Amino acid sequence: MNDDTHSERYAELAAVGPYGVRPGHALITLVEPHPGHEYAYNRWYEDDHYYAGAMAMPWMYAGRRWVATRELRLLRYPEDSAVARPVTTGCYLSTYWITEGRHDEHMKWTVAINRRLDRDGRVCHDRTHVLTAFHDHETTVYRDGTAGPRDVHALDHPYRGLVLEVIDAEPAGRRAGMLDWLRTRHLPGRLEGSPAAMVTVFRPTPLPGDRMGYVRQVEGVDTRLTLLWFLERDPRECWAEHFTGLDEQVAASGLGRVELVAPFLPTVPGTDTYVTELRD
C-alpha cells in the first residue's frame, strides 16, 4: 500500500460509524510503580505513554491522571479488598473516555500500538497493574440536575479530587438490581449536599486475548460496577463526613459488597508533584 492509499483509508474510516461525544466507554487503570522507580515511572507516563499509548489513539478523546499519596491510600477501605491487595496498593489512576460505539475499533488500535511501543523499548515494566479494564458506560448521576458540567466534560473540568469505588453485586445476576438501586436511591441521596458533582457508573468488559502479557484478565465482568465520584473539594477535607460508610450502606441493601473505596488528587501534568509523598 503506497502512502497516498494509506492516507485515504483515514478519510474512509472517518466517514462511517458513530462519532458522538458521549463517553460510551472508558479505560480505567490503577497502577503501582515498583519501589525505587516512582520518578522514572511518572516521567515515562507523563512524557510519553499518556500521549503515545492513549490520547493519540482514535476515539479516545479525553483523559486525566490521578495520584494517591500515602496519606490518601491510608484512607482506603475495605481492608480485605478483592481489588487491591493490600488495599494501599496502586498509587496512580488513569481515566479515559472513548466514543460510544467505538470500543472494538479502539481495542484493535491499542493492542497494535502497545505491541509496537513494547518492541521499541517505550514501555515501563517497573510497575504492576492493580486494576486495568475497559468499561461500558451505564449511567451518570448528577448532584445539581442539569446545572454544571456533564460527564463528557468530567476529565477536562478542573475537579479537585476523585473517588474510585468498585462494587460486586452478590450473588451473580443481581447487577441490574444493584444498578437500579444506585441510580434511583443510593447515589441521589449521597450526592445531595456533598462535594461530589457527579458519579459515573461503568461495568467492566473482558480484555482481548491478545492483550499485553503484563496486564491480567479482568475479574468480575459479570458482577462488578466501577464508580467514579468527581469532587469539587480536596478529598482529605471531606472524607470523614461524606465518604465513610459506603460499604455499610451497600451491604445493607442486600445487593452486593464494596470492594474498594479510594480517594485521589489530580496530577499536575509535566511535573513530579506528589512523588515524594507516595512512600513512608
Side-chain angles (χ1 to χ4, degrees):
M1 182 182 296
N2 62 43
D3 289 344
D4 289 341
T5 302
H6 181 79
S7 297
E8 284 301 314
R9 289 288 291 141
Y10 283 93
E12 294 173 17
L13 291 170
V16 297
Y19 68 121
V21 299
R22 181 174 181 267
H25 318 279
L27 170 60
I28 301 171
T29 175
L30 178 63
V31 171
E32 174 74 5
H34 294 171
H37 296 271
E38 294 86 357
Y39 280 98
Y41 168 79
N42 189 56
R43 289 274 44 85
W44 164 74
Y45 207 107
E46 287 278 327
D47 299 339
D48 189 3
H49 198 64
Y50 177 82
Y51 301 102
M55 295 305 299
M57 298 191 196
W59 309 115
M60 181 172 274
Y61 66 88
R64 192 81 177 268
R65 290 186 74 219
W66 313 84
V67 60
T69 63
R70 177 68 175 169
E71 178 186 10
L72 285 171
R73 297 202 310 281
L74 290 175
L75 297 175
R76 293 179 180 179
Y77 64 90
E79 188 173 344
D80 59 340
S81 169
V83 175
R85 306 182 183 94
V87 71
T88 52
T89 306
C91 294
Y92 286 99
L93 180 73
S94 297
T95 52
Y96 302 97
W97 289 169
I98 300 168
T99 301
E100 185 174 26
R102 292 294 190 174
H103 173 272
D104 292 348
E105 291 96 324
H106 177 80
M107 288 302 300
K108 289 182 182 298
W109 189 283
T110 191
V111 169
I113 200 67
N114 276 287
R115 288 193 180 282
R116 180 181 179 185
L117 289 168
D118 192 38
R119 184 183 66 241
D120 292 346
R122 290 174 60 184
V123 171
C124 173
H125 291 285
D126 297 311
R127 58 176 171 149
T128 298
H129 283 261
V130 180
L131 170 66
T132 294
F134 286 84
H135 293 72
D136 289 340
H137 180 259
E138 288 286 1
T139 191
T140 299
V141 181
Y142 298 98
R143 182 192 60 203
D144 302 323
T146 58
R150 304 290 86 189
D151 51 14
V152 67
H153 310 119
L155 301 184
D156 295 309
H157 187 79
Y159 285 113
R160 296 185 61 195
L162 177 139
V163 174
L164 168 69
E165 180 180 5
V166 179
I167 298 175
D168 255 325
E170 298 175 344
R174 287 194 176 180
R175 186 163 61 183
M178 170 63 76
L179 179 62
D180 183 66
W181 176 76
L182 288 170
R183 180 170 43 212
T184 62
R185 297 177 58 189
H186 177 64
L187 293 179
R190 296 291 302 212
L191 283 170
E192 185 176 1
S194 85
M198 73 177 82
V199 182
T200 58
V201 184
F202 295 88
R203 58 178 173 85
T205 60
L207 290 170
D210 57 351
R211 68 190 184 280
M212 300 303 292
Y214 50 77
V215 181
R216 69 185 184 190
Q217 187 54 269
V218 180
E219 299 175 351
V221 293
D222 297 320
T223 59
R224 284 186 181 169
L225 291 169
T226 304
L227 287 65
L228 301 177
W229 301 68
F230 290 91
L231 310 185
E232 296 174 329
R233 291 170 57 192
D234 186 316
R236 293 168 293 191
E237 300 173 359
C238 54
W239 189 256
E241 181 180 359
H242 293 285
F243 291 100
T244 57
L246 288 172
D247 54 344
E248 296 171 358
Q249 202 165 356
V250 169
S253 74
L255 296 170
R257 164 186 163 86
V258 166
E259 295 292 0
L260 182 64
V261 181
F264 294 85
L265 296 168
T267 62
V268 181
T271 76
D272 291 317
T273 306
Y274 301 116
V275 173
T276 59
E277 301 176 48
L278 297 181
R279 307 301 181 196
D280 293 334

